[in-house]
Amino acid sequence: MWQRFTEMARRVIFFAQEEAAKLGENHVSTEHMLLGLIREDDTVAALMLQHMGVSLKKIREEVERRVTRGEGRSGDDMQLAPRAKRVIDLAYDEARQLNNNYIGTEHLLLGLVREQNGLAAQILTELGVDLEKTRQMAEQLQDRKVTKPQDDSLRGRDLLSIKDLSAEEIFKIFAVAAELKSEDRLVNPLLEGKTLAMIFEKQSLRTRVTFETGMTQLGGHAIYLQPADIALGTRESVPDAARNLERWVQGIMARVFAHQTVVDLAKYANIPVINGLSDAEHPCQALADFMTILEKKGDLTKVKLAYIGDGCNTCNSLMLLAAKVGATMTVGCPEGYEPDTAMVTTARRDAKETGATISVMNDPYKAVEGANVIYTDTWVSMGLEAEKEARLKVFEPYQVNQALVDAAAEDVIILHCMPAKRGEEITDEVLDGPKSAAFDEAENRLHVQKAIMALTM
Ligand code: CP
Ligand code: NVA
């Protein structure tokens, strides 16, 4: 029954059960659903009510004034009363009429308004909510939800490296990501019927969960392929895997050891291939990072980003991106662990055109001077575990701790792509401190990748 509910609509039912329990009821009735629907003021239904000039506070007061407290019981297995069940049937009917595959909070609201025998409908009617108006508003929203990004210039393209994108395309991704972020709790069926194959040669939390969740929220589907599933390059060659996949799915996201693997996948599969991290780059990460910086700091040309630690994949993508958008970036790393020379050269070439500055130095304190963003990543990237002991020694002076943060600008924010090795490259105090934006950054992986998929697939 609940499979076709959006995440928020499911939460509303859970909230309704809680509301019923709080009021000592045995069953969830329409008034509890109404309370569940307005518990958070940014659901689609709550926004619709507010647009219709109805105060959510007033609804709550009206419900509380009219219900009598029962003896009841608590528990999250609370059953729906017959009227509440009818609301769900009506919500399905409204979704069907709107050609929507998912039941969202707007359909639950329509169901509540239509179930005229319910207390919720009585209260809503008294507060001036009628079916006609509510339907009109839901239709308008529906139109907005199926709006495709205006521009098709990225359609069919691969994203293997930040080098693949122009500054204009980067800002387009940020704009679509911001739009999708504002619809966070809506299912926007931009990729309905499409499937993403996710190939992983390495472990992951963020990349796997955000790509998979992103596909669900865009109305599509994602398939998680662990290293052992397809044994890329061992059980069959990369070109053969690519030529099979392109016959079934509409996009590939791959997390690989050798960058050449994503290059080969893209060469042999005539569908978009997205790099979910290679030994050379982590472009989706850098896009989420700069989206976060844009949100927190505004003008990217005024950003001074200090990257402290290993000149690894993350650092490379950040450098390339900083150069494209005109930001200043300073890498502070131990001698011998600088970012790849070819990457620095490419970044500096772009920097010349945008006014960005890319510098590499070995003194972490000098690197953070005047920085309004400090960034770090693990000292031991996946695949380099054998070097761990040696690296921990070399990198010790490069820890992002309070002393280093204090040497940066007052308004500095701290980013980390995570997973963090707390006590190594960053201290708890900094990662959990008031200047840390690492979890906002992690959230933006979802939004930025939804934009990438919506624009390319
Ligand atoms: N930052 C990042 O890519 O995280 P995962 O390795 O967990 O995917
Ligand atoms: N540089 C790290 C990033 C992890 C998200 C690695 O490659 O392991």
Side-chain angles (χ1 to χ4, degrees):
M1 179 172 184
W2 311 116
Q3 277 114 308
R4 283 178 48 209
F5 270 52
T6 63
E7 184 207 329
M8 198 53 218
R10 271 186 224 179
R11 274 158 65 99
V12 164
I13 301 299
F14 175 71
F15 291 157
Q17 290 174 320
E18 280 189 348
E19 295 289 347
K22 253 195 274 173
L23 291 166
E25 296 291 344
N26 277 320
H27 283 90
V28 175
S29 206
T30 65
E31 62 272 24
H32 311 123
M33 289 172 89
L34 183 56
L35 289 178
L37 209 53
I38 59 164
R39 168 119 32 123
E40 295 187 352
D41 61 9
D42 60 348
T43 62
V44 182
L47 292 172
M48 283 166 66
L49 286 165
Q50 291 168 86
H51 276 302
M52 287 188 269
V54 182
S55 140
L56 303 183
K57 193 162 155 251
K58 180 83 184 151
I59 294 180
R60 176 163 282 282
E61 282 168 9
E62 284 303 312
V63 174
E64 279 167 2
R65 198 167 63 80
R66 293 179 205 212
V67 293
T68 39
R69 289 191 148 268
E71 300 279 302
R73 64 187 177 92
S74 61
D76 54 12
D77 58 341
M78 177 120 34
Q79 299 297 309
L80 301 188
R83 276 178 196 155
K85 280 193 189 144
R86 200 167 140 68
V87 168
I88 306 271
D89 291 340
L90 292 168
Y92 266 94
D93 185 52
E94 290 292 331
R96 214 174 8 250
Q97 287 188 41
L98 287 162
N99 279 328
N100 203 318
N101 278 335
Y102 288 87
I103 312 302
T105 60
E106 65 273 42
H107 309 117
L108 289 176
L109 176 62
L110 283 162
L112 282 173
V113 178
R114 261 178 78 180
E115 178 43 32
Q116 280 297 320
N117 292 322
L119 181 53
Q122 286 170 33
I123 292 171
L124 288 169
T125 308
E126 280 170 32
L127 293 173
V129 178
D130 69 39
L131 187 58
E132 190 85 4
K133 249 198 297 187
T134 317
R135 273 198 186 132
Q136 263 176 17
M137 200 159 277
E139 266 169 38
Q140 283 166 11
L141 268 164
Q142 170 83 357
D143 289 344
R144 196 167 86 88
K145 276 196 285 180
V146 294
T147 304
K148 295 223 186 271
Q150 293 298 307
D151 188 309
D152 261 345
S153 62
L154 281 165
R155 188 87 42 219
R157 294 251 303 269
D158 301 312
L159 174 53
L160 307 183
S161 160
I162 293 295
K163 290 181 223 168
D164 298 339
L165 298 170
S166 66
E168 198 189 332
E169 288 164 346
I170 288 166
F171 282 105
K172 190 183 304 157
I173 292 172
F174 291 159
V176 173
E179 174 86 2
L180 292 169
K181 186 171 183 173
S182 74
E183 303 176 350
D184 190 20
R185 290 176 172 167
L186 303 175
V187 168
N188 186 333
L190 291 172
L191 296 180
E192 198 163 8
K194 295 196 174 173
T195 301
L196 177 79
M198 306 191 298
I199 300 175
F200 281 89
E201 291 185 340
K202 296 172 176 171
Q203 292 175 313
S204 168
L205 171 68
R206 279 144 293 273
T207 305
R208 190 244 164 125
V209 174
T210 50
F211 269 102
E212 190 162 336
T213 305
M215 275 310 276
T216 304
Q217 292 181 359
L218 292 170
H221 178 64
I223 302 175
Y224 173 54
L225 298 160
Q226 337 186 33
D229 284 337
I230 58 172
L232 204 59
T234 313
R235 186 165 178 266
E236 65 191 308
S237 71
V238 173
D240 279 352
R243 285 184 295 207
N244 275 266
L245 284 169
E246 69 166 13
R247 299 294 180 108
W248 309 314
V249 301
Q250 289 66 46
I252 299 173
M253 188 282 296
R255 163 164 288 194
V256 298
F257 283 98
H259 187 75
Q260 190 59 38
T261 306
V262 283
V263 173
D264 288 344
L265 282 169
K267 182 171 167 197
Y268 291 99
N270 200 16
I271 49 175
V273 174
I274 302 168
N275 179 0
L277 180 146
S278 67
D279 57 358
E281 275 204 59
H282 199 356
C284 298
Q285 181 68 54
L287 285 162
D289 300 338
F290 267 91
M291 176 179 173
T292 313
I293 297 172
L294 184 65
E295 287 173 344
K296 308 273 177 200
K297 299 288 176 202
D299 187 353
L300 292 182
T301 62
K302 299 211 169 71
V303 165
K304 186 180 174 219
L305 166 63
Y307 177 97
I308 306 299
D310 188 20
C312 62
N313 42 14
T314 312
C315 175
N316 288 340
S317 291
L318 284 168
M319 237 170 25
L320 294 170
L321 215 162
K324 297 235 181 214
V325 299
T328 300
M329 178 162 163
T330 311
V331 180
C333 56
E335 213 181 321
Y337 295 90
E338 289 90 355
D340 183 70
T341 319
M343 293 280 184
V344 178
T345 309
T346 309
R348 287 199 175 134
R349 200 184 51 217
D350 282 342
K352 260 196 207 128
E353 292 183 17
T354 62
T357 323
I358 307 294
S359 12
V360 181
M361 55 190 70
N362 300 126
D363 180 349
Y365 279 86
K366 194 153 181 286
V368 301
E369 253 170 41
N372 54 7
V373 182
I374 294 180
Y375 195 115
T376 190
D377 184 6
T378 181
W379 294 336
V380 189
S381 282
M382 290 177 277
L384 299 177
E385 290 77 9
E387 298 175 22
K388 182 170 177 182
E389 212 178 314
R391 282 178 166 259
L392 292 194
K393 273 196 206 105
V394 177
F395 279 96
E396 211 182 290
Y398 295 83
Q399 183 184 66
V400 176
N401 52 32
Q402 200 55 49
L404 193 69
V405 171
D406 290 344
E410 180 55 35
D411 65 345
V412 70
I413 58 165
I414 312 300
L415 299 181
H416 190 311
C417 60
M418 304 184 91
K421 296 282 173 335
R422 290 166 175 265
E424 292 179 17
E425 77 276 3
I426 195 162
T427 59
D428 286 338
E429 191 183 11
V430 172
L431 189 57
D432 299 328
K435 295 182 166 175
S436 169
F439 295 97
D440 294 334
E441 175 190 7
E443 181 191 326
N444 282 339
R445 289 290 302 277
L446 173 67
H447 309 303
V448 103
Q449 288 158 197
K450 279 171 73 179
I452 294 166
M453 293 190 287
L455 287 162
T456 60
M457 282 175 66

